[in-house]
Structure formats: C-alpha cells, structure tokens
C-alpha cells in the first residue's frame, strides 16, 4: 500500500501536466513567428528632401528641413560703376556742399564732336546727393563734386586699364579680365598722361591715321609734339601704322589694331572708366 505522501505527489504531478498541456496552444501563439507588419502609407516628399543630409539624421519633413537646413543667402550682386547723363553744363564744386567753391565745369557735350556727355561718378557722398567726377579736358587734372539730383543713371561693369610701361590695354568686367591687347602709347616727347578718365566719344572714321574708329576720352595732352595741329584730346583709336603698336610712338593717344577695335566697340559705352597708369 502506497503512503499518502506518494499519492499526493502523484496527484500534483498529474495536475501540473494537465495544465501545461492545456497551455501549450496559447504559448505557441505568443512565441511563434512574428507576423508581417501592416504597411503604412509613406509620406510624399520633394526629391530634395527624400535623401539624408549626411549628418546621420536621415530624411526629414519639409517643415523640419526649413529649420534644420536653412537655404544659403543669395550672393551679393557685383557693383558696377555709376554713370550719369549730363543734360546741361554743371558747376563742379570742391566739396559735396552747395556752398563749396566752384573748381570747374562739367560740360554737357564733348570737346570736338559735341557728343552728349555721360560721366563716370567715381564716388558718392554719404547722403547720396553728390557725385565725385573727373573734370573733362582740363590740365592739371582736377576732380570735384556735382549734384546727382534728377540726373539719369545707369551702371557698367566694364573698365579699361592702360599700362603705359607694358604698352598694353586690358578690358575687365566687374574686376575680371576679359581680354588684353597691345597698344602704341605716347612718344618720349609726348608721353600719355596717367589719370582717371572716361569715354566721351564714339566716332567712326573712313580710315587714315585714326583708323576706322575712335573712343575719345576725357583727358587732354599737355605736351604736344612740335608742329602738331591735330587737337589735344586723348583717345583710343585705330591706326594706319600698325608697326607702331606696342611702342612709345604717338602724340599721346593709344593706338590699337582694327581687330582690337572690333572687340572694344560692343563694350565701351559712353562713360566707361579708362584708368591710365605708368
């Protein structure tokens, strides 16, 4: 005969086995293979926001992108040279002040051909009312200030740089070189005077000593060669003596080839700055 303790243990074991047998289907349903997740509709994003930014954050929504990656500021537009049309002869004053002394006159027309003057304004007063200009056709060279009120304005990025020591002209736009060309400059007895000038004339010719075209500028030659009777205004022009190009050979003007004239014509508007240095 079995003891009561053995019978009780056997009954407990049987009961536990029965519970485990009943629990097996439940356990299997909880621990078996994970079902596929229900697909979620993807957010539609612009292409530029659908790729990671490279900072480990992955793609972000459009609203987040505006905060996390603001667009770079637009680069400042390059500033050109201010040019003004001179509708009448104007007083040029020593300072940007209506009570300042008059140091010269800004003419409304060019020296020999009466082309309407468009002047280069080299600087503007802090209040924006006055412009500093080169006074055309005077020697010694002088600068002064004119009132800008009511003057028609435009700008150009083009500038002509003349290196007398190299006998070379370089054309730039917003400080970047476009092209260069050799030029004849003033002879030893009639050197081209350095200065800050601007184009005052665009005149076509039929040929001869000035070639087919001339750009008159606002400077004059104070040291004309003996016997010269061709006027004293400086210019960039063609020549019927191409062998002189690249040498110190002129009465002060700058001689260039016909091919160079063709390159200059589309660029050198009235008022274009011409900077001449030794």
């Amino acid at each position: 005969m079995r003891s009561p303790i053995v019978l009780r243990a056997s009954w407990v074991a049987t009961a536990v086995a029965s519970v485990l047998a009943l629990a097996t289907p439940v356990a299997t349903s909880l621990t078996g293979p994970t079902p596929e997740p229900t697909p979620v509709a993807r957010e539609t994003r612009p292409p530029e926001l659908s790729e990671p930014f490279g900072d480990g954050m992955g793609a972000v929504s459009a609203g987040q992108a505006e905060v996390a990656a603001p667009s770079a500021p637009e680069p400042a537009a390059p500033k050109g040279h201010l040019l003004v049309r001179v509708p009448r002869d104007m007083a040029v004053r020593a300072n940007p002040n209506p009570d300042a002394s008059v140091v010269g006159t800004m003419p409304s027309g060019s020296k020999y051909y009466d082309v309407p003057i468009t002047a280069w304004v080299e600087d503007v007063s802090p209040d924006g009312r006055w412009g500093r200009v080169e006074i055309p056709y005077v020697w010694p060279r002088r600068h002064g200030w004119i009132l800008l009120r009511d003057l028609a304005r435009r700008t150009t990025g083009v500038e002509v740089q003349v290196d007398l020591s190299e006998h070379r002209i370089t054309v730039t736009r917003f400080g970047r070189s476009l092209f260069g060309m050799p030029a004849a400059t003033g002879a030893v007895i009639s050197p081209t005077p350095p200065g800050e000038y601007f184009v005052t004339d665009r005149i076509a010719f039929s040929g001869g000593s000035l070639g087919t075209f001339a750009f008159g500028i606002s400077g004059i030659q104070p040291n004309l060669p003996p016997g010269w009777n061709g006027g004293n205004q400086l210019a960039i022009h063609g020549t019927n003596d191409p062998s002189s190009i690249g040498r110190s050979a002129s009465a002060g003007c700058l001689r260039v080839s016909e091919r160079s004239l063709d390159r200059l014509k589309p660029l050198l508007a009235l008022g274009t700055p011409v900077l001449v240095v030794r």
Side-chain angles (χ1 to χ4, degrees), residues 42-51 53 58-65:
R42 284 185 135 190
E43 179 186 4
T44 302
R45 300 185 177 96
E48 66 271 15
L49 297 179
S50 63
E51 298 296 329
F53 286 101
V60 297
S61 69
Q64 290 172 319

Side-chain angles (χ1 to χ4, degrees), residues 4 8 29 33 61 65 68 93 117 159 214 228 267 275:
R8 187 178 297 119
S29 67
S61 69
R93 299 189 179 273
I117 289 287
E159 180 179 296
W228 179 264
L267 295 171
L275 308 181

Side-chain angles (χ1 to χ4, degrees), residues 6-275:
V6 173
L7 289 175
R8 187 178 297 119
S10 177
W11 178 83
V12 171
T14 301
V16 170
S18 300
V19 171
L20 290 176
L22 291 173
T24 299
V26 177
T28 301
S29 67
L30 294 177
T31 62
T34 302
E36 290 293 325
T38 303
V40 176
R42 284 185 135 190
E43 179 186 4
T44 302
R45 300 185 177 96
E48 66 271 15
L49 297 179
S50 63
E51 298 296 329
F53 286 101
D55 57 2
M57 296 178 64
V60 297
S61 69
Q64 290 172 319
E66 292 175 3
V67 176
S71 59
E74 290 290 332
K79 294 182 179 180
H81 299 290
L82 175 62
L83 312 178
V84 296
R85 171 73 176 86
V86 182
R88 60 191 179 279
D89 291 0
M90 302 182 67
V92 182
R93 299 189 179 273
N95 297 299
N97 187 312
D99 298 324
S101 60
V102 175
V103 294
T105 300
M106 173 61 71
S108 59
S110 64
K111 184 176 178 67
Y112 293 113
Y113 298 97
D114 202 31
V115 174
I117 289 287
T118 296
W120 168 34
V121 177
E122 300 176 17
D123 197 8
V124 176
S125 62
D127 62 8
R129 298 179 59 210
W130 297 82
R132 184 174 181 268
V133 294
E134 162 93 11
I135 302 175
Y137 317 127
V138 297
W139 189 266
R141 293 175 48 247
R142 295 196 301 276
H143 290 79
W145 297 82
I146 60 172
L147 269 175
L148 300 178
R149 184 181 59 217
D150 300 329
L151 299 185
R153 308 182 187 195
R154 62 184 294 267
T155 59
T156 180
V158 177
E159 180 179 296
V160 179
Q161 300 172 358
V162 181
D163 188 329
L164 299 176
S165 65
E166 297 290 334
H167 300 96
R168 189 163 185 82
I169 293 175
T170 302
V171 179
T172 66
R173 179 185 281 131
F174 297 115
R176 300 185 64 180
S177 177
L178 295 179
F179 55 83
M181 63 192 67
T185 62
V188 174
I189 61 172
S190 54
T192 305
E196 300 164 346
Y197 308 110
F198 57 88
V199 174
T200 60
D201 302 271
R202 289 173 51 93
I203 307 295
F205 294 93
S206 58
S209 61
L210 299 179
T212 61
F213 206 87
F215 302 90
I217 63 177
S218 58
I220 60 173
Q221 169 60 284
N223 299 303
L224 291 170
W228 179 264
N229 58 5
N232 66 352
Q233 182 182 355
L234 298 175
I236 302 171
H237 60 73
T239 181
N240 59 359
D241 181 13
S243 66
S244 67
I245 295 175
R247 300 189 292 113
S248 300
S250 76
C253 288
L254 304 161
R255 304 175 187 170
V256 298
S257 68
E258 289 297 314
R259 181 174 179 272
S260 295
L261 287 176
D262 289 339
R263 302 185 75 182
L264 294 173
K265 289 176 188 177
L267 295 171
L268 272 58
L270 296 176
T272 301
V274 179
L275 308 181

